[in-house]
Amino acid sequence: MIRAYYEIAKSQVKLDFAYGAWFWSSMVSSILQMLVLFYFWRAVYANGPSELHGYKLDDMITYMVVASMIGGYTNGAGGKLAEDIRGGLVAIELMRPYDQLSKLVALDLGGKFGYFLRNTVPILVLAFLFFHINLPPSWGAAAMFPLSTALGVLIGAQFDLLVGIMAFYTVNIWGLRVLRDAVLLFFTGQLVPVMLFPEWLQSVNRFLPFQSMVYVPVSIYTGALRGAEAWVQVGIQAAWLLGVFLLVRWTWSRAMRKVTIFGG
Amino acid sequence: MIDVQNLSKQYQIAKRDPGLAGAVKSLFSRKYETKQAVQDISFQIQKGEMVGYIGANGAGKSTTIKMLSGILTPSSGVVRVNGIVPYENRRRNASQIGAVFGQRTQLFWDIPIRESYHLLKHIYQVPETEFQQRLEMFTDVLDLGPLLGIPVRQMSLGQKMRAELAAAFLHNPAVVFLDEPTIGLDVAVKDRIRAFIREMNRQQETTVILTTHDMQDIEEICNRIIIIDGGKILYDGALQAIKERFGDKRTIHFDLEKNDGFTIPYALATRVEQVVSHREAAGKSNSISLSFNNAEITAAEVISEMMQAYTIRDLTIDEVHIEQIVKDIYERGL
Ligand SMILES: Nc1ncnc2c1ncn2[C@@H]1O[C@H](COP(=O)(O)OP(=O)(O)OP(=O)(O)O)[C@@H](O)[C@H]1O
Ligand SMILES: [Mg+2]
């Protein structure tokens, strides 16, 4: 059955490559976005202090570039799920011998592979060759970063499914998605480092899953989180992943009960 | 193969008063109305049978099929498909059934169907050689060759339907549910689809349950029919018996040159009856509809007698509609 999910993911990769124009335009737009970020923060530092909460210019550029790189992965298959729910496909899919949620995750992972080639690779090239962003402070941080990133991406994917499932209960899934995008952009630390938030907001954020998606892996990369503290945060990420995963399963099984009893 | 006992399904429909006030009220208290879609039905279907499941719109056909395929949980009663209870053991049931829902596509929307089939092969774990063999045969019988490279998104209804049908049979399911597989298709495509279904049944002994509003589908595919109306079974038995009783009923509509005091020609009087059809109601007063039993008198005879007595501009012969048969059974009994 793993093979089936793998093939499903592969089909999504092929599909993404089939739309050539979209592939290139998406690549160009992510490069442009990086350039805007770069020059924006240069301008901020040129006219202001040489340090913001301990972030020098190169620290800030490093943070922003890595954060936007990871931030691109905080979505998931929720949009597709919502579409399937509204189109009634979810009921029909009950006749497939696979697990629908796992299938959606497989599709999403396939999509993310395409995204990696199209957006992350050019950003990496740009970041190291032109922006000269900092390297992680240690081999330990370099090794922990992918682990923490993977956890963050998976949390984002599950959270997105959770938003998608809401399509069972509300017609206005679009509004919910816009809200989700705004919340994620800000609270994950993609827009500005969480360290720059006012103190009270930082405390609130500590109890939310969002900083696990972006801020934690980026801080491990930059070295702001290190040693035991870093491991604690990775542990918290794992806990959030489990929590959101279970919540998704639970809402899903409730929704399925509704579908199979009320007929959708 | 399929065992259905005292199966019932009620839908709960949220009732709402009209207007804004109703919408607001429904936020606080919801009233539900129950809709009995299927009521205490029982039947057994043996391996390799091809059964037509027919009835008027809203009779409960799709509801029954959904319960058999595990999409809906019954309100009461028991279903077993090959020994498995579909709604309790969804994924196990899924690998032994195939289905086509006429109004819905199950193929992957954006990818060429060849890739879709390839994916289904993995999803249903079909061995490669079997897969190749089957795909070859399907391509042949359903004429899929030119379509394999195209995604469903870009297909016409008829093309889509053929592609769907192949997908439903790809894993060689023991039971296939076909919910209006020929809806909206032209005669040539219908023929191909029927031939395909018969061929699969002959080769693999696939059990087929088919809902349709097309009498021709039933005649060419099924050896048994179950008629359902208002959620209850009206008839379950051989197709032949029903046809002998009702299927030979014909109606011919004549368009007369002029109509001043029409009477049925003497030679026909005992065997033909004049009926009021929707045409006369629509104000075409020169139209006359005659109904008769094909076993007693042939259409040719009726037409020739009429042509001797009147000047006829045009005529049409009505096909036998399942709806009509169902209505007759309902009104007059068997
Ligand atoms: N999801 C649902 N919620 C509430 N009522 C439903 C639902 N689905 C079907 N019904 C009702 O149940 C009854 C049976 O519907 P069903 O779809 O089984 O009919 P059918 O025999 O397939 O008709 P058709 O020939 O039009 O496809 C109808 O009165 C219909 O309005
Ligand atoms: Mg139906």
Side-chain angles (χ1 to χ4, degrees):
Chain A
M1 209 59 221
I2 294 289
R3 181 70 199 274
Y5 294 122
Y6 169 75
E7 292 291 333
I8 289 169
K10 212 166 85 183
S11 78
Q12 183 63 42
V13 177
K14 281 193 225 164
L15 189 61
D16 286 349
F17 279 95
Y19 293 108
W22 179 69
F23 186 94
W24 295 115
S25 69
S26 162
M27 184 186 265
V28 169
S29 104
S30 69
I31 290 173
L32 284 179
Q33 214 182 322
M34 271 313 114
L35 290 172
V36 169
L37 250 177
F38 181 69
Y39 287 109
F40 171 78
W41 283 104
R42 274 231 322 212
V44 168
Y45 276 83
N47 300 315
S50 63
E51 225 181 84
L52 269 174
H53 284 256
Y55 282 78
K56 296 201 190 62
L57 175 61
D58 60 333
D59 296 330
M60 186 55 90
I61 297 288
T62 304
Y63 180 94
M64 289 317 301
V65 168
V66 179
S68 345
M69 210 165 67
I70 299 176
Y73 293 95
T74 49
N75 54 8
K80 166 102 173 68
L81 176 58
E83 216 175 276
D84 288 358
I85 291 169
R86 300 198 55 185
L89 196 69
V90 159
I92 304 274
E93 288 252 298
L94 285 174
M95 283 190 324
R96 292 278 187 224
Y98 50 54
D99 174 66
Q100 274 194 66
L101 290 175
S102 306
K103 176 213 148 189
L104 286 167
V105 170
L107 281 178
D108 181 44
L109 289 180
K112 278 175 173 147
F113 179 74
Y115 183 87
F116 178 80
L117 295 184
R118 161 174 103 231
N119 302 62
T120 304
V121 169
I123 290 177
L124 282 175
V125 171
L126 207 62
F128 286 110
L129 295 188
F130 298 99
F131 300 165
H132 301 291
I133 65 166
N134 301 335
L135 292 172
S138 67
W139 284 110
M144 209 171 182
F145 170 67
L147 170 69
S148 177
T149 302
L151 286 170
V153 168
L154 290 175
I155 294 171
Q158 291 295 320
F159 184 73
D160 199 52
L161 284 177
L162 198 59
V163 176
I165 293 175
M166 290 304 124
F168 280 113
Y169 305 100
T170 167
V171 193
N172 191 7
I173 187 73
W174 181 80
L176 208 56
R177 293 196 69 77
V178 170
L179 182 66
R180 179 206 79 114
D181 287 346
V183 165
L184 283 195
L185 193 62
F186 188 71
F187 287 96
T188 55
Q190 257 181 88
L191 205 59
V192 281
V194 173
M195 295 293 279
L196 302 191
F197 288 5
E199 193 59 48
W200 66 270
L201 198 55
Q202 285 190 44
S203 329
V204 171
N205 215 23
R206 242 167 252 136
F207 296 99
L208 297 173
F210 307 117
Q211 63 175 15
S212 280
M213 295 180 197
V214 175
Y215 179 69
V216 169
V218 181
S219 297
I220 287 173
Y221 180 96
T222 61
L225 274 174
R226 67 183 85 198
E229 202 190 345
W231 279 113
V232 168
Q233 286 300 325
V234 170
I236 291 175
Q237 280 187 304
W240 271 118
L241 179 56
L242 184 67
V244 184
F245 176 81
L246 291 178
L247 192 59
V248 166
R249 291 280 150 175
W250 183 70
T251 43
W252 176 257
S253 74
R254 278 188 62 109
M256 280 305 110
R257 204 169 328 143
K258 184 173 149 224
V259 166
T260 57
I261 287 174
F262 291 95
Chain B
M1 181 58 73
I2 296 175
D3 184 15
V4 171
Q5 265 164 31
N6 307 102
L7 186 65
S8 293
K9 179 73 196 176
Q10 291 121 18
Y11 288 111
Q12 301 272 325
I13 305 170
K15 219 174 100 179
R16 212 174 90 176
D17 295 336
L20 184 64
V24 173
K25 229 172 86 188
S26 76
L27 285 177
F28 300 103
S29 77
R30 290 230 167 148
K31 284 207 197 82
Y32 288 98
E33 202 175 334
T34 36
K35 164 93 207 165
Q36 187 84 37
V38 168
Q39 198 172 348
D40 196 26
I41 63 173
S42 305
F43 55 80
Q44 271 83 39
I45 294 173
Q46 306 307 317
K47 184 170 174 56
E49 269 194 286
M50 299 213 270
V51 178
Y53 196 56
I54 63 183
N57 290 126
K61 304 182 295 291
S62 298
T63 304
T64 311
I65 299 245
K66 283 178 185 165
M67 289 191 280
L68 294 183
S69 50
I71 295 178
L72 270 182
T73 307
S75 306
S76 65
V78 181
V79 177
R80 274 201 191 78
V81 177
N82 222 355
I84 297 172
V85 180
Y87 40 89
E88 281 171 6
N89 225 325
R90 226 165 256 129
R91 282 170 68 183
R92 253 187 71 209
N93 187 52
S95 53
Q96 58 160 7
I97 64 168
V100 170
F101 289 92
Q103 286 92 330
R104 290 233 161 93
T105 180
Q106 297 176 74
L107 286 163
F108 301 82
W109 191 243
D110 286 310
I111 59 179
I113 56 168
R114 183 188 287 113
E115 307 255 332
S116 261
Y117 295 151
H118 178 79
L119 260 183
L120 289 174
K121 176 188 83 177
H122 288 289
I123 289 168
Y124 287 96
Q125 304 179 332
V126 183
E128 181 66 30
T129 47
E130 253 177 64
F131 171 76
Q132 291 301 345
Q133 258 170 14
R134 233 168 264 153
L135 190 59
E136 205 169 297
M137 180 231 157
F138 292 180
T139 306
D140 194 38
V141 180
L142 288 169
D143 190 24
L144 292 176
L147 301 180
L148 286 175
I150 306 176
V152 175
R153 184 164 49 84
Q154 297 170 1
M155 287 185 188
S156 77
L157 185 63
Q159 295 171 333
K160 204 180 301 177
M161 218 50 188
R162 284 182 283 149
E164 291 282 340
L165 215 62
F169 280 91
L170 206 56
H171 53 292
N172 195 20
V175 182
V176 172
F177 302 109
L178 304 169
D179 197 356
E180 307 196 37
T182 59
I183 191 165
L185 305 183
D186 71 33
V187 181
V189 176
K190 279 184 181 176
D191 269 350
R192 265 199 194 276
I193 286 183
R194 290 170 190 149
F196 175 73
I197 297 169
R198 281 196 308 264
E199 183 63 18
M200 288 312 292
N201 172 264
R202 194 183 60 77
Q203 285 187 10
Q204 308 288 346
E205 252 195 289
T206 314
T207 307
V208 175
I209 297 187
L210 170 84
T211 80
T212 182
H213 293 281
D214 185 333
M215 194 62 185
Q216 202 78 21
D217 282 348
I218 302 286
E219 285 189 16
E220 291 190 17
I221 298 172
C222 305
N223 27 40
R224 168 179 168 195
I225 58 173
I226 297 176
I227 300 177
I228 179 170
D229 193 80
K232 288 189 209 140
I233 290 181
L234 276 187
Y235 176 82
D236 178 357
L239 174 62
Q240 201 50 36
I242 281 287
K243 262 177 56 187
E244 273 160 21
R245 227 175 280 253
F246 301 97
D248 287 341
K249 206 145 168 218
R250 295 279 156 87
T251 303
I252 305 181
H253 306 282
F254 295 95
D255 214 355
L256 303 183
E257 189 66 45
K258 52 181 183 294
N259 177 14
D260 23 61
F262 173 80
T263 50
I264 296 174
Y266 179 70
L268 300 176
T270 55
R271 293 173 294 176
V272 166
E273 115 187 76
Q274 184 177 358
V275 292
V276 181
S277 79
H278 55 280
R279 290 153 191 259
E280 286 95 86
K284 287 183 74 183
S285 57
N286 279 3
S287 294
I288 295 293
S289 299
L290 299 180
S291 161
F292 56 93
N293 192 324
N294 207 35
E296 291 173 14
I297 184 168
T298 65
E301 240 178 295
V302 174
I303 293 169
S304 108
E305 288 295 337
M306 281 291 287
M307 289 196 14
Q308 278 171 32
Y310 297 95
T311 317
I312 289 160
R313 272 199 311 219
D314 195 9
L315 63 86
T316 48
I317 304 180
D318 257 6
E319 302 166 45
V320 189
H321 289 293
I322 288 173
E323 282 72 19
Q324 191 56 45
I325 295 181
V326 173
K327 206 167 140 235
D328 283 357
I329 296 180
Y330 198 73
E331 281 167 3
R332 302 181 209 170
L334 276 168

